[in-house]
Amino acid sequence: MQQVNKQDIRKLSLQELEQYFESVGEKRFRARQVYEWLWSKSLKNFDDMTNLSKATREHLKENFDINHILVDQFQRSNDGTIKNAVKLFDDQIVESVLIPTSKRITACVSSQVGCSLDCNFCATARLKRMRNLNPDEIYDQVVAIQEEARLYFDRPLTNIVFMGMGEPLLNYQNVLAAIERICSPTGLGISPRRITLSTVGIAKMIRKLADDGVRFNLALSLHSAINETRTRLMPINQTNTVEELADALKYWYSITKRKVTYEYVIWDGINDDERHARALAKFCKHIPSKVNIIQYNPIDEGEYRQASPEKVSLYLRILEDSGIVAKVRKSRGQDIDAACGQLANKIDW
Ligand code: SAH
């Protein structure tokens, strides 16, 4: 385990770093050089900062750490999906996934170690929440996947989704700070339009996103537009009901003018009937939206099973009749347990 008594230098903003350099009698512009090494070049140690004097490098080493993540385990699926088990500075593990398609390479990143939300069908929920990830820990997952995209596919990373472990809106500040770094020209220079934040649905925070003028995309894990069923699947629905979410989404759309994607798993005997399909179609009318029907990745022998293809077709027909765009997403990386939280569950904590 790395020492944790020194300050992590990437907790400092550029301004703070400039102030620090001035306070120790160094030139202000050195701060910008260090900042670039740390962020756009993702350097992992001070010795490689070749435009700094040896004395400055030694000084930084004595006073700061660079708490870089480490890809601890790496698995490659036969469909090309790559799954990283990422070790953090305090030895906690999160996971991130590279998902290749013919047009895109998408990074799926985690925002928390574990999760506090108790969605009944999700593997991460079994882990409980340990802590929030820092902005640099989120950023580093993207950098690691960007390197893998170059190395294994000779293509650039094109998209980022916050669909790994944790609830991004319960780590609001750090997730937004990470996205700001990812989009910045002094970071990775990726357009916010290529980033999607997926949330369990916390009405207050969806409104806050709109108020904060974010420019990335929003996805909501809906799974049912009927309160009784949704509460059974996702206990957060007790305090963030379908109606409250609809109101928050209307507010989001009135400000951002950005469509929302609804993620939706159809489970056998749980939400696979016409009543649920019609409720979803009705919900989709609130604001411009589309539906991603996700295949369920079973996490155990429990009550949740993927619905039959006939039931999926029933949904598609009802949505299409209502003029709603819906796509069926094939599960990726099933042979390497790429479903939310599965790999981390298998690692000895
Ligand atoms: N907390 C956020 C992001 C993490 S989960 C959210 O709830 O959106 C990312 C997506 O995977 C969510 O839509 C979630 O409902 C879904 N999911 C979780 N476990 C799954 C599983 N075993 N199979 C398929 N989808 C799953």
Side-chain angles (χ1 to χ4, degrees):
M1 186 146 107
Q2 292 169 35
Q3 279 193 330
V4 287
N5 52 351
K6 291 186 225 167
Q7 194 183 9
D8 179 4
I9 193 165
R10 287 190 300 169
K11 287 229 167 80
L12 300 184
S13 66
L14 177 57
Q15 288 73 19
E16 287 166 336
L17 208 53
E18 284 172 344
Q19 280 161 12
Y20 176 79
F21 270 75
E22 278 181 334
S23 74
V24 295
E26 278 269 11
K27 293 271 186 302
R28 205 179 155 82
F29 75 90
R30 293 276 175 224
R32 185 172 286 274
Q33 290 178 325
V34 170
Y35 199 72
E36 275 181 19
W37 284 122
L38 291 172
W39 292 102
S40 37
K41 302 197 179 77
S42 283
L43 237 58
K44 295 176 189 160
N45 65 69
F46 294 109
D47 286 329
D48 294 339
M49 299 187 178
T50 48
N51 57 0
L52 303 181
S53 71
K54 184 145 194 329
T56 306
R57 280 183 262 161
E58 288 305 321
H59 175 88
L60 290 174
K61 264 202 276 186
E62 274 160 31
N63 290 283
F64 294 103
D65 275 326
I66 307 175
N67 287 337
H68 221 280
I69 63 160
L70 189 88
V71 176
D72 190 48
Q73 272 187 39
F74 167 98
Q75 285 175 284
R76 201 163 173 189
S77 159
N78 47 28
D79 68 14
T81 303
I82 293 176
K83 178 145 180 161
N84 297 320
V86 166
K87 196 184 259 187
L88 309 173
F89 75 94
D90 56 357
D91 285 350
Q92 304 263 29
I93 302 275
V94 293
E95 56 197 32
S96 53
V97 184
L98 178 159
I99 306 156
T101 62
S102 57
K103 291 200 197 94
R104 296 175 171 190
I105 293 201
T106 302
C108 174
V109 298
S110 294
S111 56
Q112 297 182 311
V113 184
C115 190
S116 57
L117 284 172
D118 291 329
C119 299
N120 285 321
F121 50 83
C122 176
T124 307
R126 314 264 159 106
L127 302 172
K128 303 299 165 207
R129 193 188 78 84
M130 313 274 183
R131 70 170 173 87
N132 284 335
L133 295 193
N134 296 323
D136 51 274
E137 292 170 328
I138 298 169
Y139 184 91
D140 286 352
Q141 293 175 62
V142 177
V143 172
I145 290 183
Q146 198 177 42
E147 284 165 7
E148 289 168 351
R150 284 264 167 244
L151 189 63
Y152 298 104
F153 298 89
D154 198 19
R155 280 158 55 193
L157 174 68
T158 57
N159 295 74
I160 301 166
V161 294
F162 283 79
M163 294 183 189
M165 296 164 71
E167 169 51 42
L169 294 188
L170 292 180
N171 184 15
Y172 190 89
Q173 298 283 351
N174 291 352
V175 166
L176 261 67
I179 293 177
E180 196 266 319
R181 298 272 75 239
I182 290 165
C183 298
S184 162
T186 58
L188 302 178
I190 293 174
S191 164
R193 280 183 290 281
R194 295 181 172 278
I195 299 177
T196 301
L197 183 150
S198 172
T199 178
V200 72
I202 301 164
K204 188 172 80 181
M205 303 311 282
I206 293 173
R207 289 172 189 270
K208 182 162 168 52
L209 282 176
D211 287 338
D212 287 345
V214 301
R215 287 161 53 237
F216 49 79
N217 303 301
L218 182 65
L220 171 73
S221 300
L222 188 60
H223 302 314
S224 173
I226 296 177
N227 278 319
E228 196 192 342
T229 311
R230 193 166 190 272
T231 299
R232 181 172 154 203
L233 295 165
M234 309 160 86
I236 184 98
N237 194 68
Q238 280 161 6
T239 47
N240 290 263
T241 61
V242 169
E243 293 74 26
E244 281 164 308
L245 291 177
D247 284 345
L249 291 169
K250 284 180 200 162
Y251 184 76
W252 156 274
Y253 188 76
S254 72
I255 292 183
T256 66
K257 296 282 176 282
R258 295 192 79 79
K259 241 189 218 177
V260 170
T261 302
Y262 301 128
E263 290 152 272
Y264 203 98
V265 176
I266 310 173
W267 285 282
D268 181 29
I270 290 179
N271 59 351
D272 62 353
D273 54 11
E274 192 170 329
R275 189 171 73 100
H276 282 90
R278 294 209 181 279
L280 171 61
K282 193 168 161 217
F283 189 85
C284 289
K285 294 288 179 189
H286 289 305
I287 59 163
S289 58
K290 62 180 170 131
V291 178
N292 275 347
I293 294 181
I294 317 170
Q295 202 181 329
Y296 183 55
N297 248 322
I299 56 169
D300 52 24
E301 300 301 311
E303 62 174 315
Y304 295 98
R305 287 177 310 274
Q306 169 64 38
S308 67
E310 293 73 32
K311 295 293 172 67
V312 175
S313 303
L314 169 80
Y315 258 80
L316 289 175
R317 188 167 46 73
I318 288 174
L319 292 173
E320 195 182 328
D321 287 351
S322 306
I324 292 148
V325 176
K327 287 209 177 92
V328 179
R329 299 268 175 222
K330 259 184 48 198
S331 176
R332 301 293 303 270
Q334 264 187 328
D335 53 327
I336 55 166
D337 290 329
C340 191
Q342 288 194 331
L343 178 67
N345 265 348
K346 287 197 173 163
I347 289 172
D348 210 2
W349 284 79

